[in-house]
Amino acid sequence: MTAITAVTVRAPAKVNLLLAVGPVREDGYHDLVNVFHAVSLFDEVTVRRAEPGPAGAAETAIEVHAAAGGLDAHLAEVPRDGSNLAARAARLVAREAGLSEEPVRIRIDKAIPVAGGMAGGSADAAAALLACDALFGAGLDAAALQALAAELGSDVPFPLLGGTAVGTGRGEVLDPVPARGRFHWVFALSEDGLSTPAVFGEYDRLRPDAPQPRGDASLTTALGAGDPSALAAALRNDLEPAALSLRPDLARTLDVGRQAGALAGIVSGSGPTCAFLAPDADGAAEVSAALEKSGACERALTAYGDVPGAHIVDGPASR
Ligand code: C5P
């Protein structure tokens, strides 16, 4: 049997259908009820075995490219060193597989906006976990991969799972929610990123009396019925006022999308991407065109949800 030398995994972006945020905890995190929905924007991560350097050093090398149709903006901000979440994922899997030094080369083809509130970095980490598990023959099961993902970040477990799921705790404890049919989305991308800790900090300033976060049965019902109008009425993001406080110009972006026929428009996660739910694929194309024409965003993309979680597209399981 020949050793596997490279594995490519595709992982989806997410939009938050409900982001209910409680008060800040002692560890600095916030308890959340966070309904994640995976959408059809995918990063691809390829992990290859690398030769150890002359001194036997196990250096991880990272390359980042814009995927076909992807955005160049902010690619320069993606860390190329061991601090990249995908490199940290590779080290965690090597540790679990009992390998002390495992030099790898990681290539990331990005279609998910960087620093956009769509969990692109988390998708790359989830993809790297799955790719390294296959490459190193670690044999980790879904629960073990989920535990490693939660070590890497609150939003990393979801892109492994995909579909639609409610996250509790700091967002990392996941419970799948059935969604029927296909929901059509438009994402308005912004030139400037927003920092997640800064948006949570602004939330604490605006909502010192935040209540414990709660779910919403009408959201679950709308998803199960595949009803976009009912889903639109149930969309909610507690971080939106904080994101708008830091980026007041996003109010115009939301307005343009709603005027163009979106059933609803919300800030995605901690922003600055704005997400619009359209009645159907044609409606999404119209909202996207109106947003681009208005100049109220850097670029608009259409996508649908939900879609499956991270999966191998080239490597052992795809053969
Ligand atoms: O878990 P992760 O490192 O992705 O979180 C990034 C930042 O987002 C945290 O440092 C924290 O400021 C904020 N956060 C939070 N509460 C959560 C998740 C994230 O305050 N439940």
Side-chain angles (χ1 to χ4, degrees), residues 71-303:
L71 270 187
D72 281 339
H74 310 299
L75 279 195
E77 293 159 31
V78 178
R80 290 346 192 235
D81 62 11
S83 70
N84 186 297
L85 269 186
R88 290 175 50 203
R91 289 201 296 276
L92 279 188
V93 178
R95 183 192 78 191
E96 292 298 304
L99 305 164
S100 54
E101 303 265 295
E102 193 62 25
V104 290
R105 283 191 287 135
I106 300 176
R107 176 186 167 118
I108 304 175
D109 287 278
K110 284 206 83 64
I112 306 175
V114 176
M118 298 189 75
S122 299
D124 299 344
L129 284 174
L130 205 56
C132 291
D133 176 54
L135 190 66
F136 303 158
L140 300 172
D141 62 16
L145 287 168
Q146 285 287 334
L148 294 184
E151 259 188 67
L152 290 167
S154 311
D155 281 356
V156 182
F158 176 70
L160 276 178
L161 188 68
T164 302
V166 54
T168 48
R170 61 185 165 86
E172 85 288 16
V173 184
L174 296 174
D175 207 2
V177 179
R180 178 190 285 191
R182 196 171 255 196
F183 293 100
H184 294 274
W185 296 91
V186 181
F187 297 100
L189 312 186
S190 173
E191 208 154 335
D192 303 311
L194 266 177
S195 135
T196 302
V199 175
F200 273 103
E202 182 68 357
Y203 177 81
D204 295 335
R205 193 181 72 78
L206 295 174
R207 295 293 308 274
D209 55 345
Q212 284 306 317
R214 295 179 50 182
D216 177 359
S218 67
L219 180 70
T220 321
T221 308
L223 285 164
D227 180 343
S229 299
L231 181 61
L235 295 176
R236 187 182 119 200
N237 180 2
D238 284 354
L239 291 181
E240 185 166 303
L244 288 175
S245 166
L246 298 175
R247 285 284 307 276
D249 59 302
L250 295 179
R252 176 167 171 245
T253 313
L254 289 173
D255 216 37
V256 170
R258 289 169 184 150
Q259 298 283 337
L263 299 170
I266 51 165
V267 170
S268 175
S270 57
T273 299
C274 293
F276 300 91
L277 183 58
D280 50 32
D282 288 345
E286 279 170 29
V287 171
S288 171
L291 280 161
E292 291 223 321
K293 192 162 162 239
S294 72
C297 64
E298 186 192 11
R299 179 144 167 220
L301 299 173
T302 56

